Amino acid sequence: MRPFAYRRAEAVEAAVGQAGKFLAGGTTLIDLMKLDVERPAQVTDITRLPLREIAPDGEGVRIGALATMTEVAEHDLIRSRYPALRQALLAGASQQIRNMASMGGNVMQRTRCPYFRDTAFKQCNKREPGSGCGALQGNSRKQALLGTSDACIALHPSDASVALVAYDARLTLHGPEGEREVALADFNLLPGETPWLEHDLKDGELIVALTLPAPIAGNGVYLKVRDRESYEFALSSCAATLQVEGGTVKAARFALGGVGTRPWRVPEAEALLVGQPATEETFTRAARLILAGARPTAENAFKVPLTERVVVRALSAAARGQQEGRA
């Protein structure tokens, strides 16, 4: 780890506008600093900021950015109204990490692509712009097949972000010029030709809260398929909420993880479900639509049929009112 300047912020206004990196739980930043991937000249400790409250916000809920994964997963509002988010949080890390990791840090997670995390690999456009993408011709089994480009196929790793996007979450960002809101679905940027630009966070801005609107009247499910049962990132996942009346879908929201360069949601696939019978045939059509445009490699092509089955199973579970969280 390289030397860096350390400071502690006691108020939000004192934190924003600072150069370098913000330190909350540190479960991503410190790892990357040890790997020499992140090299901040300054680290600002924000753990004392008053940003941990979880409270009603109109008909929805506002979550302080420093609330931990555990605090959110165990909160009564999340348990009762946003079950897919709770399931995603519990599936996303070990208990020790959930006790430390903040919600703001969770949505800022950087990819686990080995070509990004190991500086011995010279080709990584995220780490060294213009150097190429080693995963394109290398180990791509766990990389993305949606939202990719010729410059980058790195997978977005967050489980919680998949559920948050399905619930229409918005981020409140505080910077030198005040506060602004952005939809989480738009916060993470597609790699395009500039994969080193990963999110819509301006210099000196800080995530201060996540806000969820009232969920649709129905059931929520997060289904995750992975190589092993615990402490593993998704090969494919789906967060789904459905409102079904008389066997017909009245409203639907679902998003994919483990397959995209960001949490993947296609409103047209949700619209296709509305007014249709809640059947496997209907869910299969929606799954194929959300996967349209996939660009798999030879090593991760298996994710296309796998994800189709994950979507159908998640939507079927939501329709039945089951609370399945693992596969």
Side-chain angles (χ1 to χ4, degrees):
M1 185 183 294
R2 303 189 181 208
F4 59 91
Y6 171 87
R7 65 186 296 273
R8 176 176 282 157
E10 303 289 345
V12 171
E13 291 297 343
V16 300
Q18 295 296 319
K21 296 288 183 177
F22 294 120
L23 175 66
T27 55
T28 294
L29 176 62
I30 299 302
D31 282 351
L32 293 179
M33 290 173 68
K34 290 178 178 178
L35 293 171
D36 202 32
V37 174
E38 289 277 15
R39 306 170 182 176
Q42 175 175 292
V43 172
T44 300
D45 185 336
I46 59 172
T47 55
R48 294 189 179 181
L49 301 185
L51 300 175
R52 296 181 74 122
E53 185 180 19
I54 305 168
D57 184 78
E59 296 183 354
V61 62
R62 180 181 172 94
I63 301 169
L66 292 182
T68 67
M69 294 172 67
T70 295
E71 289 169 340
V72 175
E74 299 304 330
H75 197 279
D76 288 343
L77 280 171
I78 305 304
R79 282 175 172 271
S80 62
R81 306 194 67 201
Y82 304 93
L85 176 56
R86 170 177 162 78
Q87 293 163 20
L89 288 165
L90 295 179
S94 68
Q95 182 66 62
Q96 294 91 334
I97 290 177
R98 293 198 299 270
N99 289 344
M100 289 292 296
S102 69
M103 292 299 293
N106 190 292
V107 302
M108 289 284 289
Q109 277 190 79
R110 305 197 72 186
T111 184
R112 261 59 180 184
C113 175
Y115 298 94
F116 169 74
R117 292 174 65 87
D118 189 341
T119 57
F121 292 113
K122 302 304 179 185
Q123 287 186 310
C124 177
N125 286 319
K126 279 188 180 293
R127 196 179 65 243
E128 297 291 341
S131 64
C133 176
L136 276 170
Q137 301 301 322
N139 182 355
S140 60
R141 180 175 181 270
K142 294 188 176 182
Q143 299 310 318
L145 47 83
L146 290 165
T148 61
S149 72
D150 292 338
C152 184
I153 60 170
L155 180 73
H156 190 279
S158 171
D159 288 281
S161 287
V162 179
L164 288 166
V165 165
Y167 281 125
D168 289 318
R170 299 186 67 81
L171 302 180
T172 301
L173 312 177
H174 193 107
E177 299 182 1
E179 286 192 352
R180 65 186 180 102
E181 282 198 352
V182 60
L184 180 55
D186 300 325
F187 179 72
N188 297 111
L189 306 178
L190 296 175
E193 296 181 357
T194 56
W196 54 91
L197 302 177
E198 297 181 354
H199 48 69
D200 181 24
L201 194 67
K202 312 303 182 188
D203 288 342
E205 279 190 325
L206 176 67
I207 300 173
V208 295
L210 303 86
T211 304
L212 303 178
I216 62 175
N219 299 296
V221 169
Y222 183 71
L223 178 64
K224 178 178 180 178
V225 174
R226 46 193 163 178
D227 282 330
R228 59 186 181 185
E229 179 63 14
S230 65
Y231 202 60
E232 183 62 275
F233 294 96
L235 292 173
S236 179
S237 67
C238 180
T241 61
L242 280 184
Q243 180 183 0
V244 178
E245 296 178 7
T248 299
V249 178
K250 297 298 183 182
R253 304 283 188 275
F254 71 104
L256 304 181
V259 291
T261 55
R262 65 183 181 185
W264 202 256
R265 183 177 174 192
V266 175
E268 292 81 3
E270 298 169 345
L272 181 150
L273 292 170
V274 178
Q276 300 300 310
T279 63
E280 182 174 326
E281 181 181 1
T282 298
F283 300 153
T284 299
R285 289 200 302 271
R288 290 174 178 169
L289 180 55
I290 199 171
L291 287 164
R295 297 176 59 196
T297 67
E299 290 193 356
N300 68 12
F302 75 94
K303 285 189 176 186
V304 176
L306 172 65
T307 302
E308 182 179 315
R309 293 193 294 271
V310 168
V311 171
V312 171
R313 183 174 165 187
L315 291 172
S316 298
R320 292 193 305 268
Q322 296 177 357
Q323 301 299 309
E324 295 186 9
R326 298 194 180 113

